[in-house]
Amino acid sequence: MLGGLTGFLHGVEPTASPWSVVVLMFCLNLGPAQASTCPSQCLCTSDLLSCTDLGLAQVPEVLPVFIVTLDLNHNRIVQLEEESFEGLPHLEMLRLAHNQVTSIQSGAFRNSSGSLLRHLDLSSNQLMVLEQHYFQDLPGLQELLLFNNRIVRVETGALNHLKNIHKVYLSHNLLTTFPFFSIQKHSHPNLTMLDLSSNRLPKLPLKDISNLPQSVQEGLYLHNNSLLCDCSMYSLFRFWEQMDFASIRFFRQEHVCLLYGIPRGVRFFLYNRFFDGCRLLELKQQSRDVSVRAGARLLLHCITSLSGTRPAFFWLAPNSEYVTPPGNNGSLNMFPNGSLEIVAAREEDSGIYLCMTQDQDRNETGEVNVTVLRHEDEAHEHFNTGFTTLLGCVVSLLLVLMYLYLTPCRCPKHLPPPTAALSRGKEAGPGSAQSSILTPTPPTTTEGPGRKMFPSNIFSFLPCDTSKPTDSLYL
Ligand SMILES: *[C@@H]1O[C@H](CO)[C@@H](O)[C@H](O)[C@H]1NC(C)=O
Ligand SMILES: *[C@@H]1O[C@H](CO)[C@@H](O)[C@H](O)[C@H]1NC(C)=O
Ligand SMILES: *[C@@H]1O[C@H](CO)[C@@H](O)[C@H](O)[C@H]1NC(C)=O
Ligand SMILES: *[C@@H]1O[C@H](CO)[C@@H](O)[C@H](O)[C@H]1NC(C)=O
Ligand SMILES: *[C@@H]1O[C@H](CO)[C@@H](O)[C@H](O)[C@H]1NC(C)=O
Ligand SMILES: *[C@@H]1O[C@H](CO)[C@@H](O)[C@H](O)[C@H]1NC(C)=O
Ligand SMILES: *[C@@H]1O[C@H](CO)[C@@H](O)[C@H](O)[C@H]1NC(C)=O
């Protein structure tokens, strides 16, 4: 399964177009000035420099200024030295997969294109610790491929500078922890994929994970780790399953946890009887839009990623009144954990509720849009669907009756022309309206005169089944 992910990545390697080859010939044979900047044995095309599989021990000293893609895959590079990629203002893709990189010196990417470089492939190398400074000069990076290294640790700030990151692949490493807390609501707004599968994570910091922005949780892959089986871990994954996250949909079987006495681990989505005794925690998650019937109880959570000691909570109700505990008055209650209870929702409680949290050094604000439905709204809706279905049944019965009793049947050659009620499908020719309703196959003219074609399963064509839309058949 994981091969699918990595296979996809290999699939995006560009291939040299015929035009690039022409340019290459030009470079090699006719353009001595250009040729001198192309490192020997490498291939220079219009904007791509490929030096794969040449046994290089370091990044070539002189690189042509025009390159957008630099491909150094399959070499023996051990270290990325300071300013290795200096003076490449157009560089967007850097491929260093299948080398022996063990460390990246401070400033390795300094004076390269910086905010332009968006794809960095360091997969299948020998990296062991992702240090704080590794990616500091890459504010524009979108994809960072680090799978199949020997990474045991990611330093807390290592991803902090990657403000524009979309996808980070860290699977097939030796991670036993990961600094989830360093990823917060606004720290990496575009992050939608964090692959930590096939590592050695024994325990997940559930609080930090459930505090991750939902867009990150949706793209968090944690299968095939060395997780210890316990109820809270199981609830997290069950919750993700309910949310239908892709990680569970596609890698259900690869989710394992370790239980004493079972050497290969438990595939806990398949054999969940081990967790029968677990009271599944209700993991808090607050959606931005909530609607509720008038009179019902409503509980709003104030989710925060602030981890300081006991953050303070405030709510601002739509009528702009502050609510703080213990200012409870029987209709609006606030709990010490920040949750706000509306005991019996009224229409005038609709609106935007702002939740603010504050710890020693930061403030955070969240908002929830509450809509309280009137009783009539709901009744109206039910009536509407019921009525539509009923109408569908009546109309179709009428059509059948009209077909049976009103259509002239003494036409020797042709099927009867459509009556006024059935004439919608004129351009399709006479008889087509009926046939599309009553027969699964086009009518044949071999029927005897006056014979009604009437399949025995006609009632299965009638939209009296509420689960099927009526419109597609008749409108
Ligand atoms: C490289 O960047 C440093 C600061 O980041 C700057 O002082 C220096 O002039 C740059 N060198 C070149 C060749 O652009
Ligand atoms: C990244 O996030 C920022 C802030 O939310 C947004 O303005 C920008 O369009 C995003 N970039 C991409 C490529 O999605
Ligand atoms: C699961 O992880 C182990 C060890 O981390 C690794 O050897 C194995 O290839 C992984 N399995 C899959 C299907 O990726
Ligand atoms: C309770 O307080 C809320 C807001 O502070 C207010 O809207 C509501 O009317 C109060 N209810 C009672 C019963 O006083
Ligand atoms: C906060 O406490 C209340 C009452 O004990 C509980 O119902 C609610 O679920 C709690 N909120 C969170 C986010 O755990
Ligand atoms: C948080 O917000 C309060 C009130 O708006 C303000 O007084 C305080 O200075 C803010 N604290 C920080 C760290 O921004
Ligand atoms: C809140 O939700 C209601 C109903 O869904 C919608 O009409 C309204 O525009 C929303 N308000 C905001 C500020 O998003």
Side-chain angles (χ1 to χ4, degrees):
M1 271 296 205
L2 203 95
L5 272 182
T6 54
F8 165 75
L9 291 163
H10 289 293
V12 296
E13 304 215 2
T15 48
S17 65
W19 174 240
S20 332
V21 174
V22 171
V23 172
L24 171 66
M25 303 297 277
F26 183 81
C27 278
L28 292 178
N29 300 325
L30 303 169
Q34 287 283 49
S36 68
T37 62
C38 187
S40 63
Q41 294 185 294
C42 297
L43 293 178
C44 289
T45 72
S46 51
D47 64 357
L48 182 147
L49 172 62
S50 168
C51 308
T52 59
D53 210 1
L54 294 176
L56 299 178
Q58 59 184 34
V59 178
E61 292 254 330
V62 182
L63 294 165
V65 71
F66 54 80
I67 53 179
V68 172
T69 300
L70 174 55
D71 191 345
L72 292 165
N73 284 352
H74 295 280
N75 280 293
R76 286 189 287 126
I77 299 169
V78 174
Q79 179 162 266
L80 300 184
E81 322 221 329
E82 198 178 336
E83 301 192 341
S84 292
F85 308 99
E86 192 183 9
L88 299 177
H90 307 292
L91 192 62
E92 289 183 16
M93 289 210 182
L94 178 52
R95 302 180 202 281
L96 285 157
H98 296 278
N99 276 278
Q100 292 161 19
V101 178
T102 53
S103 72
I104 300 176
Q105 282 197 351
S106 186
F109 302 107
R110 196 187 304 144
N111 291 2
S112 70
S113 60
S115 62
L116 265 185
L117 186 65
R118 51 189 170 76
H119 178 96
L120 174 59
D121 187 351
L122 278 163
S123 62
S124 301
N125 275 286
Q126 314 274 332
L127 291 167
M128 284 164 64
V129 175
L130 291 191
E131 293 179 33
Q132 194 98 6
H133 64 79
Y134 274 12
F135 310 115
Q136 67 186 6
D137 298 311
L138 300 173
L141 200 65
Q142 296 182 359
E143 290 176 349
L144 177 57
L145 280 58
L146 289 163
F147 53 86
N148 197 28
N149 275 271
R150 300 188 178 173
I151 303 168
V152 292
R153 195 159 53 88
V154 175
E155 287 188 354
T156 303
L159 304 179
N160 281 7
H161 303 281
L162 302 172
K163 296 291 175 213
N164 202 26
I165 196 77
H166 291 215
K167 299 180 174 187
V168 180
Y169 298 85
L170 275 163
S171 69
H172 293 86
N173 277 295
L174 304 170
L175 290 171
T176 52
T177 63
F178 184 83
F180 290 104
F181 57 85
S182 70
I183 295 170
Q184 284 163 4
K185 204 169 178 183
H186 303 296
S187 63
H188 303 85
N190 300 334
L191 183 62
T192 53
M193 159 85 81
L194 176 57
D195 187 353
L196 295 170
S197 62
S198 298
N199 273 284
R200 304 253 168 105
L201 298 173
K203 202 157 172 50
L204 300 174
L206 292 178
K207 186 165 181 299
D208 294 343
I209 290 181
S210 55
N211 279 338
L212 290 173
Q214 180 157 337
S215 53
V216 178
Q217 287 189 45
E218 271 190 73
L220 182 56
Y221 291 75
L222 289 167
H223 54 277
N224 194 28
N225 269 286
S226 331
L227 298 174
L228 301 173
C229 298
D230 73 33
C231 288
S232 51
M233 177 230 47
Y234 183 63
S235 347
L236 175 79
F237 289 112
R238 282 301 295 270
F239 179 67
W240 287 6
E241 184 190 30
Q242 280 166 26
M243 303 290 283
D244 197 26
F245 288 172
S247 56
I248 311 293
R249 229 183 310 138
F250 298 136
F251 297 97
R252 240 182 127 73
Q253 307 221 7
E254 282 83 351
H255 280 82
V256 290
C257 66
L258 302 178
L259 201 61
Y260 180 75
I262 303 183
R264 293 187 53 212
V266 175
R267 296 179 188 277
F268 56 79
F269 277 116
L270 303 186
Y271 305 102
N272 55 15
R273 70 194 155 85
F274 291 103
F275 297 94
D276 281 351
C278 290
R279 190 177 63 83
L280 292 188
L281 303 175
E282 254 190 55
L283 282 173
K284 54 193 168 90
Q285 190 86 19
Q286 180 61 62
S287 61
R288 283 177 168 278
D289 293 283
V290 175
S291 60
V292 68
R293 271 176 300 111
R297 172 177 181 267
L298 180 62
L299 193 61
L300 303 176
H301 298 305
C302 192
I303 307 298
T304 177
S305 58
L306 300 186
S307 47
T309 49
R310 294 188 65 83
F313 296 98
F314 309 90
W315 281 93
L316 188 57
N319 54 12
S320 297
E321 281 182 85
Y322 278 96
V323 189
T324 42
N328 299 336
N329 66 3
S331 63
L332 212 52
N333 296 325
M334 189 173 156
F335 300 109
N337 62 13
S339 295
L340 180 71
E341 178 189 28
I342 301 176
V343 176
R346 300 164 301 169
E347 247 184 277
E348 52 270 33
D349 291 330
S350 299
I352 303 289
Y353 285 73
L354 284 179
C355 149
M356 280 160 282
T357 46
Q358 200 176 336
D359 68 4
Q360 296 86 331
D361 26 59
R362 278 174 316 128
N363 286 339
E364 254 189 27
T365 318
E367 59 175 59
V368 187
N369 183 3
V370 172
T371 311
V372 181
L373 300 170
R374 283 175 303 155
H375 283 301
E376 304 94 82
D377 284 349
E378 266 199 306
H380 190 64
E381 230 164 73
H382 282 158
F383 172 74
N384 259 350
T385 37
F387 183 70
T388 315
T389 315
L390 182 67
L391 195 67
C393 288
V394 170
V395 168
S396 42
L397 269 176
L398 263 177
L399 286 174
V400 171
L401 291 176
M402 279 162 66
Y403 181 75
L404 283 175
Y405 297 110
L406 296 185
T407 50
C409 296
R410 303 270 172 248
C411 328
K413 289 242 169 65
H414 302 288
L415 282 172
T419 62
L422 290 169
S423 60
R424 245 187 66 92
K426 257 185 194 133
E427 67 287 344
S432 69
Q434 293 95 321
S435 60
S436 69
I437 294 167
L438 297 175
T439 64
T441 48
T444 53
T445 47
T446 54
E447 296 287 339
R451 209 48 205 284
K452 303 275 185 193
M453 288 189 305
F454 220 20
S456 60
N457 61 344
I458 174 153
F459 288 101
S460 67
F461 287 83
L462 300 182
C464 296
D465 178 0
T466 53
S467 66
K468 292 204 181 99
T470 60
D471 314 4
S472 54
L473 265 174
Y474 290 98
L475 303 176

